[in-house]
């Protein structure tokens, strides 16, 4: 602000000393020397002429606040302080020529200012705020020339007013904030707060209010520029907008951006919080310039802010693998479909790490953390810790970073193919997959792991029928009707063995005659040793009979062969009379007489086996059409050299049902189950420790192969063995083998009366087989 002279004294300085109060204190002056008029070096309390201040009395220029409490009594020209103060009321300072005097010659009450700018030895008070002569002169000559006309500093200037007094005022700026649920909710009168708001969510509407008050002490002498400042908005609604120019009287609330009354709606646009604001702090304040009467800078209220925190929860899962699904080993290229869902009300943070993980647990190993959970450990450390060693193998099959994060309600798929798949591993191995996400929620930086989705390696047991055809759908020799169509359904296996894909399955060495459909089972030993994979059964059905005509083959044409007649009436060849001996309970074939037919009481339950191989020349028939026979021991024939047909041993078992215990591995016998309805069953593993017909065995039960050497004629065949179907070259090993050996034909020929022979019913020339 420029200096201007408002009033000054116009008196020549004459000799004489005028007293001012020694206890002079002012906060706005500096101490300095000054110069008077005239030349003498004399001094004293009377008149006289004073020159430059080389005496011990001293002369000086002092600066006083025009409205200060301290003032000189009189000036050199005799003007009173009250007169000067009135003349200078609109200025800040009065600069006057004053003389300091020693009272009664007592140095302790005197104060002398020397030419060198220091106080004398006896000075203990400043006596005032003194200016150097030069400073006082500079201030005088800085006044406009028109106000200095006729006056010369140091000659005829006793005092002058310096620096106009500005109007003094300051501003109190206030900002307020309120949040409501949504745009349909109006803000409440007085509900806005002077503090900040946390936990605002997308969809909320924010209101800000601002006002300015002149804190005085005087009315504002100018208008100030008012701006509403903004920061943190996702739509770049930052910076600020100008509200205009305003001023006010002392104490007046001269600006507000809301109307008076109870309906406090903003004059300017409110803000609806969006998903893009998550993670931001949205602030407004009111700013003004100049800040105060003597500060040209920017004043600013305390900003009021609304924080929009992240509030999300990321849930990982796998969508295409049912837990504990059975599968065989040797399967490459397994599809794995991961999914991450954001269940929180806001989007997630950016750069979220995700991973699809594969873990293979060896058979019998306890699986770790099957239900998943939250952990600082990465997926492999969580599901297969170091303590598992070689019992678990963990690998990352797919991973990445979701750079933009997950929006509210997002469900992001991560589909991949595990090209390594599963090797040809033992039954009981678990192949498990998990989806994991890091920084899984707004409150946790850790991993969240899904539950484990596991395949359990199982097997598809195979059956082989050697030395005979397979006939399905003919009567079993009881005269009872059979279903219009009976099916053969087995499951082939495709494995990669030693780098080569092969297909394994159940097969018949010769032909198949099936009244219903055929699925998976080959004739003409089609799967022996493994075959080139084919999705169609046609290449493996060379001797599967069908009533279809034409040279082409489709899977739907295989089987459905019409059969007439019944299977051989074996029971009728071994009649039971009242004199037929009966057996019961546990029966050892060793104890039965040779060349004898036995029966049982109606509904009896028999357990049967042979402690020793059946010797040469011994045959036994058990004809018990109303009994269920459980074979609990192997039945084998002697390995001794036979010299005649009559030496061939043979066992014929005819029963309502025939059940084989799990410990039995070989049955050299005819097996004929003649029961009707649900009876007529041959169950290859329906008894033993913890095993019943009512429950299916697991891979650790019935895991020994069973070989039946002899004719098998039944109404229901339940193949319950779990052996075979191993790894590598053993992938095609059967769990059951039914082998119709020549000894059955030869023995039956020797048993027939008369000159028995085996005639040809018909002959058809077939291509040779090698």
């Amino acid at each position: 602000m420029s200096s201007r002279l408002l009033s000054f004294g116009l008196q020549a300085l004459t000799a004489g000393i005028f007293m001012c109060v020694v206890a002079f204190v002012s906060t706005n002056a500096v101490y300095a020397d000054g110069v008077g008029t005239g030349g003498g070096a004399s001094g004293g309390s009377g008149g006289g002429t004073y020159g430059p201040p080389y005496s011990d009395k001293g002369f000086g220029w002092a600066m006083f606040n025009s409205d200060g409490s301290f003032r000189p009594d009189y000036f050199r020209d005799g003007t009173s302080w009250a007169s000067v103060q009135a003349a200078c009321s609109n200025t800040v300072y009065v600069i006057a020529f004053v003389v300091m005097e020693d009272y009664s010659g007592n140095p302790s009450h005197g104060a002398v200012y020397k030419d060198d700018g220091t106080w004398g030895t006896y000075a203990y008070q400043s006596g005032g705020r003194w200016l150097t002569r030069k400073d006082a002169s500079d201030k005088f000559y800085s006044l406009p020339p028109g106000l200095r006309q006729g006056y010369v500093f140091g000659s005829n200037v006793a005092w002058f007013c310096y620096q106009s007094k500005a109007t003094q005022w300051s501003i109190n700026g206030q900002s307020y904030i309120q949040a409501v649920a949504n745009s349909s909710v109006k803000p409440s009168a007085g509900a806005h707060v002077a503090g900040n708001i946390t936990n605002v969510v997308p969809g909320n509407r924010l209101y800000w209010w601002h006002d300015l008050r002149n804190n005085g002490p005087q009315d504002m002498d100018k208008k100030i520029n008012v701006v509403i400042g903004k920061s943190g908005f996702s739509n770049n609604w930052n910076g600020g907008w100008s509200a205009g120019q305003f001023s006010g009287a002392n104490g007046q609330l001269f600006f507000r951006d809301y109307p008076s009354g109870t309906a406090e709606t903003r004059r300017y646009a409110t803000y609806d919080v969006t998903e893009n604001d998550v993670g931001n702090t949205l602030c407004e304040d009111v700013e003004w310039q100049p800040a105060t009467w003597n500060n040209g800078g920017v004043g600013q209220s305390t900003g009021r802010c609304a924080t929009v925190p992240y509030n999300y929860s990321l849930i990982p899962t796998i969508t295409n693998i049912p837990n504990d699904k059975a599968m065989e080993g040797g399967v490459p290229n397994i599809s794995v479909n991961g999914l991450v869902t954001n269940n929180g009300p806001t989007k997630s943070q950016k750069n979220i790490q995700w991973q699809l993980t594969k873990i293979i647990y060896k058979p019998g190993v306890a699986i770790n953390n099957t239900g998943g959970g939250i952990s600082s450990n990465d997926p492999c450390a969580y599901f297969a810790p170091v303590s598992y060693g070689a019992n678990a193998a963990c690998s990352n099959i797919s991973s990445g970073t979701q750079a933009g994060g997950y929006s509210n309600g997002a469900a992001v798929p991560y589909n991949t193919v595990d090209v390594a798949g599963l090797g040809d591993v033992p039954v009981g191995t678990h192949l498990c997959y998990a989806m994991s996400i890091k920084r899984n929620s707004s409150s946790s930086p850790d991993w969240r792991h899904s539950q484990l989705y596991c395949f359990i390696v199982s097997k598809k047991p195979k059956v082989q029928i050697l030395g005979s055809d397979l006939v399905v759908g003919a009567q079993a020799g009881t005269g009872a009707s059979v279903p219009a169509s009976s099916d053969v359904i087995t499951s082939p296996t495709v494995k990669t063995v030693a780098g080569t894909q092969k297909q394994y399955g159940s097969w018949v060495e010769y032909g198949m005659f099936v009244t219903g459909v055929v699925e998976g089972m080959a004739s003409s030993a089609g799967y022996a040793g493994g075959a080139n994979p084919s999705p169609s059964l046609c290449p493996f059905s060379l001797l599967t009979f069908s009533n279809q005509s034409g040279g082409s083959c489709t899977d739907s044409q295989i089987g459905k062969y019409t059969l007439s007649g019944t299977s051989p009436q074996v029971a009728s060849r071994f009649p039971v009379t009242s004199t037929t001996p009966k057996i019961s309970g546990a029966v050892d074939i060793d104890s039965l007489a040779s060349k004898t037919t036995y029966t049982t009481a109606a509904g009896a339950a028999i357990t049967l086996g042979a402690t020793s191989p059946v010797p040469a020349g011994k045959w036994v028939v058990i004809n018990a059409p109303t009994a269920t026979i459980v074979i609990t021991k192997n039945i084998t024939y002697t390995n001794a050299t036979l010299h005649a047909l009559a030496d061939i041993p043979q066992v014929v078992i005819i029963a309502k049902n025939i059940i084989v215990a799990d410990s039995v591995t070989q049955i050299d016998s005819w097996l004929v189950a003649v029961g009707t309805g649900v009876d007529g069953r041959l169950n290859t593993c329906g008894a033993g420790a913890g095993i019943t017909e009512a429950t299916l065995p697991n891979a650790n039960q019935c895991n020994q192969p069973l070989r039946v050497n002899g004719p098998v004629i039944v109404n229901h065949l339940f193949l319950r063995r779990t052996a075979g179907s191993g790894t590598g070259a053993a992938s095609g090993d059967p769990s059951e083998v039914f082998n119709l050996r020549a000894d059955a034909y030869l023995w039956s020929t020797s048993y027939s009366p008369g000159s028995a022979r085996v005639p040809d019913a018909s002959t058809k020339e077939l291509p040779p087989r090698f």
Side-chain angles (χ1 to χ4, degrees), residues 224-439:
I224 58 174
N225 293 314
V226 178
V227 172
I228 304 301
K230 301 173 181 291
S231 64
F233 293 88
S234 63
N235 62 353
N236 295 320
W237 192 31
N238 297 311
W241 50 261
S242 176
Q245 294 184 324
F246 304 87
S247 65
N250 179 22
Q252 180 185 3
L253 184 69
F254 65 90
F255 168 82
R256 61 181 178 181
D257 66 345
Y258 56 91
S260 60
T262 59
E264 292 189 350
T265 56
R266 279 199 48 164
R267 178 185 303 169
Y268 300 96
T270 56
Y271 187 75
D272 293 324
V273 180
T274 71
E275 185 79 7
N276 292 329
D277 294 310
V278 174
N280 293 350
T281 298
L282 313 178
C283 301
E284 279 195 12
D285 62 19
V286 60
E287 302 168 10
W288 59 94
Q289 190 177 26
T292 64
W293 67 276
N294 61 349
N295 182 353
V298 177
Q300 186 176 17
S301 70
T302 300
R304 299 309 173 193
C305 302
T307 301
V308 191
Y310 286 100
N311 186 3
Y312 65 92
S313 180
L314 302 179
I315 309 299
T317 188
I318 290 176
T319 60
N320 69 319
I321 300 176
N323 195 29
D324 283 338
K325 181 179 180 181
M327 71 174 298
E328 292 186 282
V331 180
N333 302 328
I334 298 174
S335 295
V336 183
N337 296 342
L339 185 71
V340 173
T341 303
N342 182 1
N343 283 353
T346 76
K347 68 179 181 180
S348 76
Q349 292 169 313
K350 296 181 179 180
N351 300 317
I352 302 294
Q353 186 178 348
W354 60 268
Q355 181 171 315
L356 280 167
T357 305
K358 174 172 77 173
I359 311 99
I360 300 177
Y361 297 94
K362 288 188 175 181
V365 174
I367 300 176
N368 198 46
N369 292 325
T370 57
I374 295 174
S375 172
S376 60
N377 290 329
D378 64 30
C380 283
Y382 184 73
F383 289 113
V386 174
S387 60
Y388 271 59
N391 288 320
C394 182
S395 60
N396 172 0
I397 61 170
S398 185
S399 61
T401 299
Q402 190 75 12
Y406 301 85
S407 61
N408 175 30
V412 180
Y414 298 97
N415 299 338
T416 190
V417 175
D418 177 13
V419 294
L422 182 66
D424 195 12
V425 294
V427 171
T429 299
H430 279 84
L431 169 64
C432 301
Y433 295 95
M435 182 82 206
S436 301
I437 197 85
K438 186 171 174 59
R439 197 162 56 179

Side-chain angles (χ1 to χ4, degrees), residues 487-704:
D487 303 330
V488 173
I489 299 176
T490 63
S491 297
T493 295
V494 176
K495 280 188 178 183
T496 300
V497 177
T500 302
Q501 269 200 337
K502 288 190 175 182
Q503 189 163 340
Y504 301 91
S506 300
W507 49 269
V508 181
E509 186 175 8
Y510 298 120
M512 265 199 299
F513 302 84
V514 181
T515 58
V517 300
V518 178
E519 293 182 10
M521 188 150 184
S523 60
S524 188
Y527 289 133
N532 291 328
S534 172
S536 172
L537 189 60
C538 288
F540 313 112
S541 301
L542 300 180
L543 292 181
T544 302
F545 283 73
S546 172
N547 288 332
Q548 301 292 328
S549 61
S552 62
C553 171
T554 63
D555 285 5
S556 62
Q557 295 174 332
I558 299 171
K560 302 178 183 178
Y561 185 75
T562 302
L563 294 173
S564 60
T566 62
S567 59
Q569 305 294 307
V570 177
S572 64
R573 299 299 302 272
F574 305 101
V576 174
T577 66
S578 59
T579 60
T580 301
K582 295 181 179 179
I583 55 175
S584 62
V587 178
D588 193 325
I589 291 177
D590 291 8
S591 66
L592 300 181
S594 179
K595 301 179 181 179
T596 304
T597 298
Y598 291 88
T599 190
T600 64
I606 303 295
T607 59
L608 182 66
T611 302
S612 305
V614 179
K618 179 175 182 178
W619 63 260
V620 174
V621 175
I622 300 174
N623 188 353
T626 63
T628 294
I629 295 179
V630 179
I631 300 176
T632 58
K633 293 182 181 180
N634 284 359
I635 300 173
T636 60
Y637 298 157
T638 181
N639 287 326
T641 302
L642 304 179
H643 302 283
L645 295 179
D647 292 339
I648 297 174
Q650 207 77 182
V651 175
V652 178
I653 301 173
I654 304 166
K656 180 173 67 173
N657 300 298
I658 301 172
I659 311 301
V660 183
D662 63 330
S663 59
V664 176
T665 59
Q666 182 171 334
I667 301 174
D668 294 345
S669 175
W670 297 47
L671 300 179
V672 182
V674 296
T676 60
V678 297
D679 294 319
R681 303 186 304 275
L682 170 59
N683 188 319
T684 61
C685 191
I691 299 171
T692 67
E693 283 196 276
T695 58
L696 293 175
N698 59 42
N700 297 318
Q701 298 173 314
C702 302
N703 56 5
Q704 297 188 76

